[in-house]
Amino acid sequence: MNFIPYGRQNITAEDIDAVVNVLKSDYLTQGPKVPEFEDAIKNHCDVEYALAMNSATSALHAACLALDVGKGDIVWTTPITFVASANCALYCGATVDFVDIDPKTYNLSTQALKQKLEAAKERGQLPKVVIPVHLCGQPCDMKGIFGLSEEYGFSIIEDASHAIGGKYEDEPIGSCQYSDITIFSFHPVKIITTAEGGVATTNNKDLSQKMDLLRSHGITRDTELMTSEPDGPWYYQQIDLGFNYRMTEMQAALGVSQIERLQSITDRRHEIAKRYNEKLANLSVTVPFQIEESYSGLHLYVIRLKLDDIEVTHLEVFNALRAANIGVNLHYIPVHIQPYYQKHFGFKVGDFPQAEQYYKEAISLPLYPDLTEEQQDYIVETLKDILKDG
């Protein structure tokens, strides 16, 4: 069997034509395709504003800055995420802390958040922002988190890097029904791709204007935002310290083409996941849990090994699958045990036990639209042989 990656972009002839057409056009950057992609995101998410950027990391940074995160502030997120979900606050000079995960959904635990907020209030160290992460595409308990935000006064950035195409309470993820800002990623292994890229959505005009400035050097040509009358049609003003976080026209053209088949892509992911669920039912693994009031974008399919029921270790299973040309991965190493976070913030093993237990057991199996039934059968049979199970 040829190598099977854990994730892979799905590129069609229409996608290629869309990018080629831009390459033949007058604009490779700052042209009409970025606004077109933003409009497509707004329409899909039923949200007022969408701002395309060169990565979800950039979008997270801009979101934190738009919410005035800075020195002396505290931002909380989950330890089971990519480091960008936490690093974005550090870029602003803030301090980061974590909230342990729910053992069933693997998302930030609302109960753990409530308990941590109660203790933080007594110490006078409440977070300014909480960043729940929709791990694997499954949305967090946003209604519960939002309720706590009203009680304790923090803002919410949804890290929905895994979750475009998903729904929460029948509303599209990205609608910002229970958050200030939502962030999407369009990295090649994500649900749809712009090669690299991200988008921030919001219903708040002020936040949208701030992020718009920040993604393009803090420069505006909007006369309403200027401090004086323009000198002429060439005129612009830098009114904030921003960055070059813009998305290119080629990336946006690919995104416009990809989002047209977002529903078929998520449908296909659900077909594959359902088949995994059925075929893995009798093995010593825990398959992903799905909460009733949500629809996952299913970026990842994570199993957890029942290590007490098998005679092989987590590492042995992982290595054996890789040796069989199955490109499994692990999402993620808990952020708090990364050397940087231990050295600079004093985190240690034992701080977030549910996240650490997840890390000891989790493996991401291949999941992408072009995965064939033959490949999927091979993955399951190989896993069964390794576990000597089922």
Side-chain angles (χ1 to χ4, degrees), residues 67-319:
L67 290 167
D68 296 321
V69 172
K71 188 174 181 180
D73 293 326
I74 306 169
V75 173
W76 291 359
T77 189
T78 168
I80 298 298
T81 184
F82 187 57
V83 293
S85 307
N87 290 350
C88 58
L90 302 185
Y91 300 153
C92 303
T95 300
V96 170
D97 201 354
F98 301 95
V99 180
D100 212 349
I101 64 169
D102 182 285
K104 291 184 74 173
T105 66
Y106 317 147
N107 283 332
L108 182 149
S109 165
T110 309
Q111 184 59 36
L113 175 61
K114 185 176 188 297
Q115 292 171 355
K116 194 172 181 104
L117 286 165
E118 290 169 353
K121 184 177 181 180
E122 291 183 6
R123 299 192 308 270
Q125 295 180 326
L126 286 167
K128 184 164 190 174
V129 175
V130 172
I131 305 178
V133 177
H134 303 321
L135 190 73
C136 306
Q138 174 157 244
C140 296
D141 174 20
M142 292 308 303
K143 190 173 184 179
I145 295 168
F146 178 74
L148 291 170
S149 77
E150 292 189 305
E151 182 177 353
Y152 290 95
F154 58 84
S155 299
I156 300 172
I157 300 171
E158 291 178 73
D159 186 341
S161 294
H162 294 186
I164 194 165
K167 294 182 180 180
Y168 178 75
E169 294 186 339
D170 291 326
E171 294 293 326
I173 296 172
S175 68
C176 297
Q177 181 182 10
Y178 295 115
S179 66
D180 298 277
I181 300 168
T182 300
I183 306 299
F184 292 120
S185 171
F186 303 110
H187 182 276
V189 297
K190 297 299 194 298
I191 296 163
I192 61 172
T193 188
T194 58
E196 282 281 7
V199 162
T201 65
T202 185
N203 289 310
N204 185 302
K205 183 179 180 180
D206 290 341
L207 292 178
S208 174
Q209 286 183 338
K210 287 181 182 179
M211 290 188 287
D212 190 21
L213 278 171
L214 290 166
R215 68 174 169 174
S216 191
H217 306 282
I219 286 174
T220 185
R221 293 181 183 274
D222 185 345
T223 56
E224 292 184 6
L225 299 178
M226 290 182 181
T227 60
S228 62
E229 289 295 317
D231 295 341
W234 64 84
Y235 194 69
Y236 60 84
Q237 285 187 348
Q238 181 185 342
I239 59 174
D240 203 345
L241 181 61
F243 309 87
N244 186 355
Y245 284 170
R246 295 189 300 260
M247 177 179 280
T248 69
E249 288 290 280
M250 290 82 73
Q251 291 171 301
L254 180 56
V256 169
S257 181
Q258 290 255 313
I259 201 170
E260 290 180 358
R261 60 181 193 282
L262 175 57
Q263 188 60 58
S264 65
I265 287 172
T266 52
D267 286 347
R268 174 61 183 147
R269 287 177 173 272
H270 276 263
E271 288 173 7
I272 295 168
K274 181 180 178 182
R275 200 162 182 270
Y276 267 138
N277 290 345
E278 293 167 353
K279 288 184 167 291
L280 297 172
N282 296 320
L283 299 189
S284 295
V285 302
T286 301
V287 299
F289 175 76
Q290 180 63 53
I291 55 176
E292 291 182 2
E293 64 269 27
S294 72
Y295 177 81
S296 176
L298 271 174
H299 165 51
L300 298 170
Y301 187 92
V302 174
I303 60 168
R304 291 180 68 167
L305 302 177
K306 297 179 180 179
L307 293 172
D308 291 340
D309 298 338
I310 58 178
E311 296 180 0
V312 282
T313 68
H314 183 234
L315 179 60
E316 287 170 340
V317 175
F318 190 95
N319 284 343

